[in-house]
Amino acid sequence: MAALGLAIIFGLMGVINMAHGELMMLGAYTTFVVQNGFKAMGDQFFEVYIFFALPAAFVVAAIMGIILERGVIRFLYGRPLETLLATWGVSLILQQFVRSVSWQMVAGLGIFCLLFFGGWWLVSRRPNFEQIRKWALSILLPLSAGIALTIGVILGNIFKLAVTQPWFGAQNVDVTAPSWLRGGIPILNFQLPYARLFIIALTAICVVGIYVFLQRSPWGLRIRAVTQNRTMSACLGIPTHQVDALTFALGSGLAGVAGCAISLLGSVGPNTGQNYIVDAFMVVVVGGVGKLVGSLVAALSIGTLNYLIGSGTLALIATPIQPIADFFTFFATTSMAKVMVFAFIIAFLQVRPAGIFPQKGRTVDA
């Protein structure tokens, strides 16, 4: 699911979004907050919190994606190295934000945004705005920051830990699945956990929903047009900037939903997204940039191969041929299986550099 959102962003705009994992992390923390809210309302409400956490995670991550696209990405189109470095910096900021966020910080940020953007809106209405633009920025920015910082310090001195204590801190937090997602279906000597089956079903719903949106809606048609030929789409009147923002919001929202899903599998921490971002990029590259079907096939292939190697299944199958069995036994751990999968992907990309489903259209020809 994380790779699905990344495929949309990377496929349309060619943006290497290193903060995609942190958008997943925001979705996971949103699930934690929603869980606590429903837990306080009683057990009967707690059983259905996941259905409210999913849209909440989507909305929070999508809003963050729009802010990222409007505030950073749109100034760096066509500059992949700068985009990579900028989004990596944003990922570090988001990680530290989650560790440090408190009522004091939220109040300071709110006051800063109110003063700066409110003042900027007032100044922008003046007829000589272009002449005083730089002057207004040089005054509003430090003035708003100074007032916000001062008020934050005053609040901290008055209310102490009530406003200065971090909401989450650096430690991981636990998300408890509803009772109907605990346990599993026994099959022979194995058990299929209900939580993982729920995630599989959720992923299938997201894939179908995205496919219908891209193929059957007017905005999906615009997104596909911009993907194939941005210049011609702009000439035909398609608002490419709005398409970029919508696409980034959609991909970011899917990352938030993925974060909500992975919160059911273990604890959530500031570094949660870092555990998945590399795998997501691998899926996108192997499947074919911008190809949803390719991302789905690549995710299934890489996941299955990773499991077969890491669990020792391939070593067991190759038992009659002892040298091959010993070779796969050496890689029969989670970390070494990733090394082997990386090697397979590198070899595969030597043969098919464009992935399983290569991108087609005028953009490729250019």
Side-chain angles (χ1 to χ4, degrees):
M1 199 181 308
L4 186 64
L6 198 60
I8 294 174
I9 294 174
F10 193 22
L12 174 64
M13 294 176 284
V15 173
I16 305 175
N17 183 17
M18 296 299 293
H20 197 76
E22 278 57 49
L23 296 173
M24 294 176 59
M25 179 260 294
L26 289 180
Y29 272 103
T30 302
T31 305
F32 172 74
V33 173
V34 173
Q35 167 207 252
N36 289 344
F38 275 75
K39 186 181 293 184
M41 297 168 62
D43 293 340
Q44 67 274 21
F45 293 99
F46 179 78
E47 294 300 318
V48 297
Y49 85 85
I50 192 68
F51 297 109
F52 293 87
L54 285 169
F58 181 91
V59 170
V60 169
I63 291 174
M64 188 64 227
I66 292 176
I67 294 174
L68 178 60
E69 196 277 333
R70 289 297 186 186
V72 179
I73 302 297
R74 70 168 176 159
F75 301 107
L76 300 174
Y77 285 129
R79 297 155 64 185
L81 180 59
E82 288 89 340
T83 303
L84 187 148
L85 293 175
T87 54
W88 179 61
V90 170
S91 72
L92 297 179
I93 293 172
L94 289 177
Q95 289 178 34
Q96 191 57 43
F97 174 79
V98 168
R99 294 188 184 99
S100 308
V101 63
S102 63
W103 286 115
Q104 182 185 32
M105 179 182 291
V106 170
L109 288 175
I111 293 170
F112 172 79
C113 292
L114 179 63
L115 293 175
F116 179 76
F117 292 108
W120 189 260
W121 179 77
L122 290 175
V123 173
S124 65
R125 297 174 64 86
R126 294 177 61 89
N128 60 337
F129 171 67
E130 291 300 328
Q131 287 77 23
I132 65 172
R133 184 185 186 117
K134 293 183 179 180
W135 173 80
L137 180 62
S138 63
I139 293 179
L140 281 176
L141 186 59
L143 184 62
S144 302
I147 295 175
L149 183 61
T150 302
I151 294 177
V153 171
I154 294 174
L155 289 175
N157 291 332
I158 295 175
F159 297 102
K160 306 294 182 183
L161 283 177
V163 297
T164 58
Q165 185 175 10
W167 291 354
F168 310 113
Q171 71 279 4
N172 286 10
V173 296
D174 292 321
V175 174
T176 304
S179 60
W180 53 274
L181 283 179
R182 303 169 200 164
I185 302 175
I187 299 178
L188 299 177
N189 296 327
F190 302 94
Q191 187 182 50
L192 291 177
Y194 290 135
R196 293 186 180 273
L197 292 175
F198 175 78
I199 292 173
I200 292 173
L202 178 63
T203 303
I205 292 172
C206 288
V207 170
V208 173
I210 292 300
Y211 177 81
V212 171
F213 173 76
L214 292 178
Q215 300 296 326
R216 305 298 181 198
S217 70
W219 277 103
L221 178 61
R222 295 185 182 103
I223 290 175
R224 288 186 287 120
V226 174
T227 301
Q228 292 190 16
N229 195 318
R230 174 180 292 271
T231 305
M232 182 59 70
S233 299
C235 292
L236 293 175
I238 295 177
T240 56
H241 291 300
Q242 294 182 23
V243 170
D244 291 339
L246 174 63
T247 305
F248 218 95
L250 183 61
S252 301
L254 287 174
V257 174
C260 180
I262 63 174
S263 68
L264 300 174
L265 303 178
S267 60
V268 176
N271 298 320
T272 295
Q274 296 298 311
N275 300 328
Y276 297 91
I277 185 65
V278 175
D279 292 338
F281 271 110
M282 284 196 304
V283 167
V284 172
V285 173
V286 171
V289 175
K291 296 294 183 179
L292 301 184
V293 176
S295 296
L296 183 62
V297 172
L300 290 173
S301 303
I302 293 175
T304 303
L305 183 62
N306 202 0
Y307 173 77
L308 291 177
I309 297 174
S311 64
T313 304
L314 287 183
L316 186 63
I317 294 174
T319 301
I321 308 175
Q322 196 57 41
I324 298 179
D326 292 340
F327 175 78
F328 282 112
T329 300
F330 176 76
F331 289 96
T333 61
T334 303
S335 57
M336 293 304 294
K338 282 189 174 292
V339 174
M340 175 58 71
V341 170
F342 268 120
F344 280 136
I345 289 175
I346 292 172
F348 173 78
L349 292 177
Q350 297 301 314
V351 180
R352 293 183 67 89
I356 301 174
F357 296 94
Q359 193 177 25
K360 299 177 181 179
R362 300 283 181 85
T363 304
V364 179
D365 297 336

